Amino acid sequence: MTDATSSGASPTTKHATSLLAADDRTRRRNAAEARFRGYGVAAIVVAIMALVGLVSSILYNGSSAFFQTFITLEVYLDPAKLDKKGTGDPEEIRKVTTFGYAPLIVASFEKLAEEDGIAVDGLTAKKAAALISKEGAADLRRYVRADVNRVGQTVEFKFLASGRIDGYYKGRVTMESAEIDNNISPEQLQLADQLKEAGLLKTSWNWGFLTMADASENRPEAAGLGVAILGSFYMMIIVLCLTLPIGVAASIYLEEFAPKNRFTDLVEVNISNLAAVPSIVFGILGLSIFINFAGLPQSAPIVGGLVLTLMTLPTIIIATRASLKAVPPSIRDAALGVGASRMQAVFHHVLPLAMPGILTGTIIGLAQALGETAPLMLIGMVAFVREYPSAPPEGFFEPAAALPVQVYNWTQRADPAFVERASGAIIVLLVFLLIMNAVAIILRRRFERRW
Amino acid sequence: MFDTQTHKDNAVESKATKIECRDCQVYYGDTHAIKDVNVDIEDKTVTAFIGPSGCGKSTFLRCLNRMNDTIDIARVMGSFKLDGEEIYDKRVDPVQLRAKVGMVFQKPNPFPKSIYDNVAYGPRIHGLARNKADLDEIVEKSLRRGAIWDEVKDRLDAPGTGLSGGQQQRLCIARAVATEPEVLLMDEPCSALDPIATAQVEELIDELRQRYSVVIVTHSMQQAARVSQKTAFFHLGNLVEFGETGQIFTNPEDPRTESYITGRIG
Amino acid sequence: MNAGLVLLVVVALAAIGFVIGRSRAISTAGGDARGLHSLPGYYGQTVFLFTAVPALLVMIGWLLFQPLYIDGQISDMISDTDIAEGSSRSLVMSDVRRVASGLNTALEKGIVSETQIASMTTDNTDVRAMLGSAGIALASAVEQNILTVAKEYRQIKGTLGLLMAGVVILIAAAGFLVSVKRIHPDYRARNVSERAIKALLIVASLVAILTTVGIIFSLVFETVRFFGLYPAKDFFFSLTWNPQFSGGSDLGIFPLLWGTLYVSFVALLFAVPIGLMVAIYLSEYASNRVRSIVKPMVEVLAGIPTIVYGLFALITVGPLLRDYFAQPLGLGTSSSSVLTAGLVMGIMLIPFVSSLSDDVINAVPQSMRDGSYGLGATQSETVKQVILPAALPGVVGAILLAASRAIGETMIVVMGAGAAAKLSLNPFEAMTTITVKIVSQLTGDTEFESPETLVAFALGLSLFVITLGLNVLALYIVRKYREQYE
């Protein structure tokens, strides 16, 4: 204690004498403080700008995918073309191929030129017919096959315009670019403008984007998300039906019954590590175990569902355990106190109380699974699938696409119209995620209980 | 029942007022935590704040170096003057103020750094040392004033968190002293310590009185009686009585003070 | 009889068992349920569990091992002469399976009858055309041997299927009878059924371990096969990656590892300072109002699927960097580049770093802050000199977790980084990563048994080991850190 006084030189007064005036050093320190705060604000601004940039880029590129250019034409379903033998036999008419319908469309452009004067010099009716999507003839065929009595009538038919014409009205294609484009000429664009003036060409809401199947490389205008949405929906059903019972059962065991020993430690470490395994590794697992070993079919929702189940399981187990843990021990004690077994205490009291939390966690896990892409690519979901899978359970084993993988597929195609499609598909995906997360938030708000 | 003899040499010698508090009010959200408090804290004196838990003594202490600024919902009103300067003036930088009015907390809170770095932290941020030798000197001097030099001089690089509770608290006092404060606020500095460590810290506080104005909040009335010259008794946010320690403990004016003292000491 | 139908039968039997068990319990107690040891429902439960569980377990096991057994049988029937030049046994096997399933489809569609299949040879039928009309396209005409084997395959599979149905239903029935017989008032049905349920719970928690085992098994097994075809030394130490369709590929992991680490480094360089500053600002400076707005917005970034980031890299960030930086500076002409992928991945990692750091920073006790403020430190001094050093282990753990995320990330690099394996320092150049090559080697058209495909498993194993190592290390550090303040 003697040290304290012996060493005491008088205090060097380096502080500013007055508190009211900041000294140089304090000013410098405050400037540093302001700078540091500035960095923080800047970091937040960058993060939010990134979010805004991301969302607006997708909206900017993708919102037009929900609108499509249609051309309405009067088509004479010429019996001379569709029923060459003149027998009127429905079987014969059904056999006419898509190619057989193309001349009908050409004929209606000829008629348009003759009767309404809608034509451009030097543009043959055949070239003019290229304004219509290549899918147009197929649509017409489907329309006729649905009711063969339509042959011989003149009908008003709404055709999809070709991707280039659609692009012209969305700003992707210009007169200049058409000069050097093999698929479209400036004359065709002029004709499109004439059609527009005549009110035959319109851009309108396109439900087909959500319901149609994928289409091939050179007809982006006909490509839709129907099969992908259905495939993703099937997988979500499988994931929900498997993760919820397995995840809840595993969590109940680990949280309520498991003794503290090496085995449960192993399980715990396992779960926390599985949660961080790269998703692509799960794809490899699916490929070699479910497809190569167990012989399940490629690109089927069942395989995708199983892989996504294994991926989401750790997330759901972690969420479920958290909500089981949040139920206070007094509830368990009360149940045990009136003579319930531990199993009864858990199933009658703890589990119902933890249910909102479990459901919230499950929905968030499902949302994660819905957006997962990489593992699905490895199990063959990149394949081009045009057929809608049938109803479950058979449909689970038939090839299907998945929403995020469809996005990837479209980005790999050359036609820039597919960029619009891919962005549009992302909007659909994000809307689904938004709905799921909103439901989770509402569930939490509505049922959350603080003990 | 009180040994007031120990205070006889400290007694009644008027000293300069260091901090002057007038009509002080503190609100925590809607709670009125401190009501109309007027206190003069003298230089080179130990002033003790006593009172039951939740009476506002710690809150008031934290007003003296604007530590309440770090709590969003706290609002402070009234006048606090340090050497005649209003410390809640807009021009006053709390950072500069806190270098003059140091603080020691209830629980020893050494930083997870070495003993040396703990003590050197204050001088470094305030730029008190010109060079390494200067800093070494300040650290040694402060550790000596903290009465812990002999125990740690051989392991200045060891982490401060590795010391015992009493040592940690003396380290924290040394750390506070290193910035050359003029006032030292202590918020129940001994409540987390065992009796032996408490005795050491109390002895240290008595030493510190030579240089600083010390304000100590304490639960223990024996401690207030042992170390302080002035005592303020707080109750429900009011300052009930303030005066010479001997006076308060032997002959309180207010019945509430008396019942508190007698009730506790029994 | 297919598995679905068997499942249905077993479940139906079990459901009936529940009802019977319950009513039998009541009747043995003379109609008064109070005479029973357990509630009547528990007697029903025991019957249900004993009927369904053992039967279903046997069924799952059977379904898992049946393909192995059949393959073994069939494989012996294929002589080496059946395996064409440049083909392999497994390719022939998949032909056999295809023909067999084609025959089944044709049978279902009524194109052929069972007797026609039995007498079918390649001489009397154009099998390929027949299967084509059933909707099964084959690459080449079917040879007689393949057809014979395929018919045999169908037969074995059919027999085994019937056998399985018989065995499973028999086990279910046995379980049913035994458990119904055991019912009498003193039977401790609740304890029995609770023990059984507990066993089911344990099985459910084993799924996590089985997944890990499955991952390791599939990776290691195929990797060993890969190293049988391609020297391990070249895989680890070769500096070139150049797969060829015709064989003779260079499959060195090094250029891929370089690309992976480079992209991850750029991502962390972007994400760590920003994520950390966001966390610091939100926990130390922001008012509650700002916090309640900004925090969810930043967390939205974490909920966005990586395919969205990939598209963002492809259509926005890539062209932007190319047109405004790479081309004017003469550093490259590719829109996919290390920087594109790195920046976008950085955005993805911001919420990851910030929320982990936020937790860590909040775990630093308030008394540390008080101590520092009490000495007259400013907030930034407190953050830089007290809070960050105290939180350092936790922050390091968070960064390691983020790094493991970055290394394992697939879609952003597939769409943003490019496909060319290069060893270059120029961030504007396209490079490729381990994950990109796993995708391209496994989704390509090369046959499965080639080193070009199998290398994906070796890459996957390397990826798994690296990320696992980082995770274990990070979790260990974070756990140690938490213990320090608890």
Side-chain angles (χ1 to χ4, degrees), chain C residues 279-298:
Chain C
I280 289 170
Y281 191 88
L282 289 182
S283 61
E284 301 293 320
Y285 288 99
S287 65
N288 279 337
R289 239 176 69 84
V290 171
R291 199 178 152 86
S292 68
I293 297 169
V294 173
K295 207 172 152 66
M297 281 187 83
V298 174

mmCIF file of all heavy atoms in Angstrom, chain C residues 279-298:
data_model
loop_
_atom_site.group_PDB
_atom_site.id
_atom_site.type_symbol
_atom_site.label_atom_id
_atom_site.label_comp_id
_atom_site.label_asym_id
_atom_site.label_seq_id
_atom_site.Cartn_x
_atom_site.Cartn_y
_atom_site.Cartn_z
ATOM 1 N N ALA C 279 -23.482 -5.621 -38.932
ATOM 2 C CA ALA C 279 -23.751 -6.179 -37.607
ATOM 3 C C ALA C 279 -23.379 -5.181 -36.528
ATOM 4 O O ALA C 279 -24.125 -4.978 -35.560
ATOM 5 C CB ALA C 279 -22.982 -7.478 -37.423
ATOM 6 N N ILE C 280 -22.218 -4.541 -36.680
ATOM 7 C CA ILE C 280 -21.771 -3.586 -35.656
ATOM 8 C C ILE C 280 -22.739 -2.414 -35.584
ATOM 9 O O ILE C 280 -23.169 -2.001 -34.501
ATOM 10 C CB ILE C 280 -20.342 -3.086 -35.974
ATOM 11 C CG1 ILE C 280 -19.337 -4.203 -35.729
ATOM 12 C CG2 ILE C 280 -19.997 -1.871 -35.131
ATOM 13 C CD1 ILE C 280 -17.954 -3.890 -36.238
ATOM 14 N N TYR C 281 -23.093 -1.889 -36.757
ATOM 15 C CA TYR C 281 -23.978 -0.727 -36.738
ATOM 16 C C TYR C 281 -25.310 -1.080 -36.102
ATOM 17 O O TYR C 281 -25.835 -0.330 -35.274
ATOM 18 C CB TYR C 281 -24.187 -0.190 -38.165
ATOM 19 C CG TYR C 281 -24.872 1.148 -38.161
ATOM 20 C CD1 TYR C 281 -24.133 2.318 -38.058
ATOM 21 C CD2 TYR C 281 -26.254 1.253 -38.208
ATOM 22 C CE1 TYR C 281 -24.746 3.554 -38.010
ATOM 23 C CE2 TYR C 281 -26.885 2.482 -38.158
ATOM 24 C CZ TYR C 281 -26.123 3.631 -38.061
ATOM 25 O OH TYR C 281 -26.735 4.850 -37.991
ATOM 26 N N LEU C 282 -25.837 -2.247 -36.502
ATOM 27 C CA LEU C 282 -27.163 -2.611 -35.990
ATOM 28 C C LEU C 282 -27.129 -2.885 -34.496
ATOM 29 O O LEU C 282 -28.070 -2.565 -33.777
ATOM 30 C CB LEU C 282 -27.717 -3.829 -36.729
ATOM 31 C CG LEU C 282 -28.130 -3.578 -38.173
ATOM 32 C CD1 LEU C 282 -28.701 -4.824 -38.788
ATOM 33 C CD2 LEU C 282 -29.143 -2.438 -38.253
ATOM 34 N N SER C 283 -26.031 -3.471 -33.982
ATOM 35 C CA SER C 283 -26.059 -3.823 -32.567
ATOM 36 C C SER C 283 -25.546 -2.694 -31.681
ATOM 37 O O SER C 283 -25.908 -2.634 -30.512
ATOM 38 C CB SER C 283 -25.274 -5.115 -32.317
ATOM 39 O OG SER C 283 -23.939 -4.927 -32.687
ATOM 40 N N GLU C 284 -24.707 -1.791 -32.207
ATOM 41 C CA GLU C 284 -24.119 -0.773 -31.338
ATOM 42 C C GLU C 284 -24.699 0.617 -31.556
ATOM 43 O O GLU C 284 -24.722 1.420 -30.651
ATOM 44 C CB GLU C 284 -22.605 -0.716 -31.547
ATOM 45 C CG GLU C 284 -21.883 -2.021 -31.264
ATOM 46 C CD GLU C 284 -21.919 -2.410 -29.796
ATOM 47 O OE1 GLU C 284 -21.775 -1.519 -28.948
ATOM 48 O OE2 GLU C 284 -22.114 -3.600 -29.515
ATOM 49 N N TYR C 285 -25.118 0.912 -32.780
ATOM 50 C CA TYR C 285 -25.513 2.289 -33.064
ATOM 51 C C TYR C 285 -26.994 2.469 -33.320
ATOM 52 O O TYR C 285 -27.600 3.424 -32.878
ATOM 53 C CB TYR C 285 -24.756 2.812 -34.297
ATOM 54 C CG TYR C 285 -23.301 3.075 -34.058
ATOM 55 C CD1 TYR C 285 -22.330 2.161 -34.434
ATOM 56 C CD2 TYR C 285 -22.895 4.260 -33.456
ATOM 57 C CE1 TYR C 285 -20.998 2.406 -34.216
ATOM 58 C CE2 TYR C 285 -21.555 4.516 -33.234
ATOM 59 C CZ TYR C 285 -20.609 3.585 -33.614
ATOM 60 O OH TYR C 285 -19.294 3.848 -33.392
ATOM 61 N N ALA C 286 -27.571 1.524 -34.075
ATOM 62 C CA ALA C 286 -28.902 1.773 -34.612
ATOM 63 C C ALA C 286 -29.943 1.867 -33.515
ATOM 64 O O ALA C 286 -29.869 1.165 -32.512
ATOM 65 C CB ALA C 286 -29.273 0.662 -35.589
ATOM 66 N N SER C 287 -30.917 2.762 -33.710
ATOM 67 C CA SER C 287 -32.045 2.821 -32.785
ATOM 68 C C SER C 287 -32.936 1.618 -33.057
ATOM 69 O O SER C 287 -32.803 0.953 -34.080
ATOM 70 C CB SER C 287 -32.824 4.114 -33.021
ATOM 71 O OG SER C 287 -33.394 4.085 -34.305
ATOM 72 N N ASN C 288 -33.845 1.346 -32.141
ATOM 73 C CA ASN C 288 -34.714 0.183 -32.315
ATOM 74 C C ASN C 288 -35.500 0.253 -33.609
ATOM 75 O O ASN C 288 -35.737 -0.756 -34.259
ATOM 76 C CB ASN C 288 -35.689 0.081 -31.137
ATOM 77 C CG ASN C 288 -35.011 -0.555 -29.945
ATOM 78 O OD1 ASN C 288 -34.024 -1.273 -30.117
ATOM 79 N ND2 ASN C 288 -35.518 -0.289 -28.761
ATOM 80 N N ARG C 289 -35.905 1.480 -33.978
ATOM 81 C CA ARG C 289 -36.707 1.624 -35.177
ATOM 82 C C ARG C 289 -35.900 1.232 -36.416
ATOM 83 O O ARG C 289 -36.346 0.423 -37.223
ATOM 84 C CB ARG C 289 -37.169 3.078 -35.314
ATOM 85 C CG ARG C 289 -38.662 3.242 -35.339
ATOM 86 C CD ARG C 289 -38.990 4.723 -35.382
ATOM 87 N NE ARG C 289 -38.592 5.293 -36.668
ATOM 88 C CZ ARG C 289 -39.373 5.238 -37.759
ATOM 89 N NH1 ARG C 289 -40.543 4.665 -37.702
ATOM 90 N NH2 ARG C 289 -38.977 5.768 -38.891
ATOM 91 N N VAL C 290 -34.703 1.787 -36.513
ATOM 92 C CA VAL C 290 -33.854 1.476 -37.668
ATOM 93 C C VAL C 290 -33.569 -0.020 -37.708
ATOM 94 O O VAL C 290 -33.667 -0.680 -38.749
ATOM 95 C CB VAL C 290 -32.532 2.274 -37.580
ATOM 96 C CG1 VAL C 290 -31.554 1.807 -38.641
ATOM 97 C CG2 VAL C 290 -32.811 3.748 -37.717
ATOM 98 N N ARG C 291 -33.262 -0.555 -36.525
ATOM 99 C CA ARG C 291 -32.941 -1.969 -36.442
ATOM 100 C C ARG C 291 -34.110 -2.821 -36.939
ATOM 101 O O ARG C 291 -33.927 -3.770 -37.692
ATOM 102 C CB ARG C 291 -32.632 -2.301 -34.982
ATOM 103 C CG ARG C 291 -31.854 -3.565 -34.776
ATOM 104 C CD ARG C 291 -31.590 -3.730 -33.282
ATOM 105 N NE ARG C 291 -31.477 -5.145 -32.974
ATOM 106 C CZ ARG C 291 -30.352 -5.828 -33.085
ATOM 107 N NH1 ARG C 291 -29.263 -5.239 -33.492
ATOM 108 N NH2 ARG C 291 -30.325 -7.105 -32.806
ATOM 109 N N SER C 292 -35.315 -2.435 -36.522
ATOM 110 C CA SER C 292 -36.466 -3.269 -36.880
ATOM 111 C C SER C 292 -36.796 -3.176 -38.365
ATOM 112 O O SER C 292 -37.507 -4.015 -38.892
ATOM 113 C CB SER C 292 -37.682 -2.878 -36.042
ATOM 114 O OG SER C 292 -38.113 -1.588 -36.418
ATOM 115 N N ILE C 293 -36.288 -2.156 -39.037
ATOM 116 C CA ILE C 293 -36.518 -2.075 -40.489
ATOM 117 C C ILE C 293 -35.380 -2.740 -41.250
ATOM 118 O O ILE C 293 -35.591 -3.539 -42.156
ATOM 119 C CB ILE C 293 -36.656 -0.602 -40.934
ATOM 120 C CG1 ILE C 293 -37.884 0.024 -40.275
ATOM 121 C CG2 ILE C 293 -36.772 -0.513 -42.450
ATOM 122 C CD1 ILE C 293 -37.960 1.520 -40.443
ATOM 123 N N VAL C 294 -34.131 -2.408 -40.852
ATOM 124 C CA VAL C 294 -32.981 -2.842 -41.644
ATOM 125 C C VAL C 294 -32.716 -4.334 -41.481
ATOM 126 O O VAL C 294 -32.454 -5.032 -42.469
ATOM 127 C CB VAL C 294 -31.729 -2.022 -41.256
ATOM 128 C CG1 VAL C 294 -30.503 -2.569 -41.947
ATOM 129 C CG2 VAL C 294 -31.925 -0.567 -41.623
ATOM 130 N N LYS C 295 -32.834 -4.825 -40.247
ATOM 131 C CA LYS C 295 -32.473 -6.225 -40.010
ATOM 132 C C LYS C 295 -33.291 -7.191 -40.882
ATOM 133 O O LYS C 295 -32.710 -8.038 -41.557
ATOM 134 C CB LYS C 295 -32.624 -6.558 -38.525
ATOM 135 C CG LYS C 295 -31.725 -7.685 -38.069
ATOM 136 C CD LYS C 295 -31.802 -7.801 -36.560
ATOM 137 C CE LYS C 295 -31.536 -9.203 -36.097
ATOM 138 N NZ LYS C 295 -30.191 -9.698 -36.318
ATOM 139 N N PRO C 296 -34.627 -7.064 -40.912
ATOM 140 C CA PRO C 296 -35.372 -7.971 -41.800
ATOM 141 C C PRO C 296 -35.007 -7.794 -43.263
ATOM 142 O O PRO C 296 -34.941 -8.774 -44.005
ATOM 143 C CB PRO C 296 -36.834 -7.562 -41.575
ATOM 144 C CG PRO C 296 -36.859 -6.765 -40.344
ATOM 145 C CD PRO C 296 -35.515 -6.171 -40.172
ATOM 146 N N MET C 297 -34.715 -6.551 -43.669
ATOM 147 C CA MET C 297 -34.363 -6.354 -45.080
ATOM 148 C C MET C 297 -33.092 -7.097 -45.433
ATOM 149 O O MET C 297 -32.978 -7.711 -46.495
ATOM 150 C CB MET C 297 -34.192 -4.864 -45.382
ATOM 151 C CG MET C 297 -35.501 -4.144 -45.556
ATOM 152 S SD MET C 297 -35.278 -2.450 -46.089
ATOM 153 C CE MET C 297 -35.080 -2.663 -47.834
ATOM 154 N N VAL C 298 -32.106 -7.009 -44.531
ATOM 155 C CA VAL C 298 -30.860 -7.723 -44.796
ATOM 156 C C VAL C 298 -31.106 -9.225 -44.779
ATOM 157 O O VAL C 298 -30.564 -9.974 -45.591
ATOM 158 C CB VAL C 298 -29.781 -7.325 -43.758
ATOM 159 C CG1 VAL C 298 -28.537 -8.167 -43.931
ATOM 160 C CG2 VAL C 298 -29.437 -5.862 -43.903
#
